[in-house]
Amino acid sequence: MFNVLCRDSLSIAGINLLQATPGLNVIVNNEKADKLGAAGIRELLREADGVIIRSDTKMTPEILKDQPRLKIIVRAGVGVDNIDLDAATRAGIVVMNTPAGNTTSTAEHAVTMMMALSRYIAPADASMKAGKWDKKSFTGTQLAGKTLAVVGLGRIGQSVARRAIGLEMKVVGYDPFLSIEKAAEQGITLYRDIDELLPLCDYLTVHTPGGAETKSLISAERIAKMRKGVRLINCARGGIIDETALADALESGHVAGAALDVFETEPLPADSRLLKTKNLLTTPHLGASTEEAQESVAIEAAEIISGFLIRNEVRHAVNMAPITSTEMADMKAYLDLGRRLGLLLAQQNKSTGVKSAVVNYRGEAASKKTKLITNAFACGLLESALDESVNIVNAELLARERGIEITETTSTEPSDFHTMVQAIVQTDSGELTASGTIFGKQFLRLVRLGKFSIDAYLDGTMLIYRHRDVPGLIGYIGQICGRHQVNIAAMALGRLQERQGGDSVAILNLDSEPSNEVLEEIKKHPEVTGVEVVKLPKAGAPLPWLVSK
Ligand code: NAD
Ligand code: MLT
């Protein structure tokens, strides 16, 4: 018998389904997390094989530590930002979510906010309830004919775009992981540079994942580039629109109105400046709060937790893939190589759109489960852009849904190396290539970067600089790193013509991240033509989506 704990007022539809499933013992506890405290939640989890949570329960490292019974956490909803994925993975706990169940409700909420904002519904209601009949103060704006910018065109962003087109709005969008053609099919004009669409819009709504990558994506500078009178909506994650910049712009009148469902700190403190800001419409994270969405995510959560505990099925896993431990031992280095090539090329792609990718397998690599390696590559390519749910199972599909076709070719004929994986990414501004090999059973090496052959370690902090190969340059860079206490662990050089003065690339593996000052000093050398830092996991770091128990 498996114990399943249901927290955070999961819809009764999901609880009923679990209770009707033989082999499961269902425990319901809806006490608020801050009342229970970490110790109380730890205690509840101690007897649970699986738990379903919404957003109230935070799965912190402290809570997840030493929970030998717990095998699975299911988030009834999309965002897994209340679960420490590293801690869960390290503890061997599978994390799954229900990505599509609340898409429609959240899209409807964003459109509702846009409409309510345009017609001053909340202040007009408050004014009437205060005994006034004030028609003059609430002259609104019509949506038809206006331009809406949608930033982040995944499930919810596209759903909002469809609804806005139905309202006769013109929709422009920005999402580096959607193709221009796929967007055009839906009537969306996609821009490859977010700054280009800012001056065009009357409304802007964000639908990207939250987290460090998108924090303050809509910054003070970007708000300043928008037309005076623009209206902004955030029903994704708090802080994607910088809260201070937004409050300033509302107060100055540059932004005519804003609607927020999500906040950097939730619950929003009662003394928050935002609550006193004029023309701001707020709701307390209600995007997915409809009976339909809550029922849909609860039923899906119940199905996936019972499928996992009873039938060992894996669906919508955020941190593991269906691969047995025997296959794992054989494939681990290749999966790691594929992911690292994806991570490397994603970071080399400076905000232009990814169109397609091809992964070529030569020699021993071609005899492996190349589909899994290609998926691991797709994970690396997409993982910082999507809402944390990309894994080895769904990465290729997610890429395809965004119009990015990832193909592969195989040839067991060895090339220069006994085994080689070459990845080529086509972007709007050209082609990016990287090839890797495995020395021994586990040592990963980058053997080609663009047009350069090289032999570099594929891990940690990599400082990559392009230059003309002249005497003294290595010493110059070594001195800069030394002066700034940045230790060089390894160095590799690749040059095009085997002679002095030719185009070259160098890769330094550093023991710490170089500051901007270091990069700026390196750039000052007249023979240096480009400098970048690529961050990869440390050698041997576990793959985030694999759990070996
Ligand atoms: P999704 O993964 O389907 O879509 C996210 C999209 O953002 C992807 O297409 C990705 O390519 C794009 N993206 C990533 N980084 C970007 C960037 N820097 N600039 C532009 N685009 C970028 O996710 P989804 O299901 O559509 O969810 C979107 C957001 O809504 C998430 O933050 C999710 O947590 C949130 N959400 C909120 C509620 C709510 O109650 N308010 C409910 C559900 C989801
Ligand atoms: C989600 O990530 O699914 C939403 O933010 C909704 C929620 O947390 O309830």
Side-chain angles (χ1 to χ4, degrees), residues 465-470 473 501 522-530:
Y465 65 90
R466 288 158 215 275
H467 59 285
R468 276 172 291 279
D469 191 20
V470 294
L473 187 56
I522 295 174
K523 275 186 207 157
K524 277 188 194 143
H525 194 289
E527 301 301 344
V528 170
T529 51

Side-chain angles (χ1 to χ4, degrees), residues 54-55 75-81 98 102 106 235-237 261-262 285 287-289 294 297 387:
R54 289 175 57 208
S55 55
R75 164 71 160 97
V78 184
V80 285
D81 41 356
T98 60
N102 58 29
T106 310
C235 292
R237 280 295 178 265
D261 182 46
V262 286
H285 204 141
S289 294
Q294 286 315 311
V297 296
D387 196 29

Side-chain angles (χ1 to χ4, degrees), residues 107-182:
E108 284 183 358
H109 195 69
V111 174
T112 305
M113 294 290 255
M114 179 168 67
M115 292 178 124
L117 195 60
S118 301
R119 302 308 292 266
Y120 298 102
I121 300 296
D125 176 66
S127 153
M128 272 195 75
K129 285 176 182 162
K132 295 186 199 154
W133 185 261
D134 178 1
K135 284 168 73 87
K136 241 170 79 195
S137 306
F138 304 118
T139 304
T141 321
Q142 184 173 292
L143 293 181
K146 299 290 185 317
T147 299
L148 170 68
V150 182
V151 175
L153 282 154
R155 286 176 292 263
I156 297 170
Q158 290 188 30
S159 187
V160 167
R162 278 195 297 278
R163 283 160 176 76
I165 289 166
L167 294 170
E168 299 176 30
M169 297 184 85
K170 183 175 172 220
V171 178
V172 295
Y174 170 71
D175 187 322
F177 286 86
L178 184 72
S179 72
I180 288 174
E181 295 74 23
K182 193 89 186 165

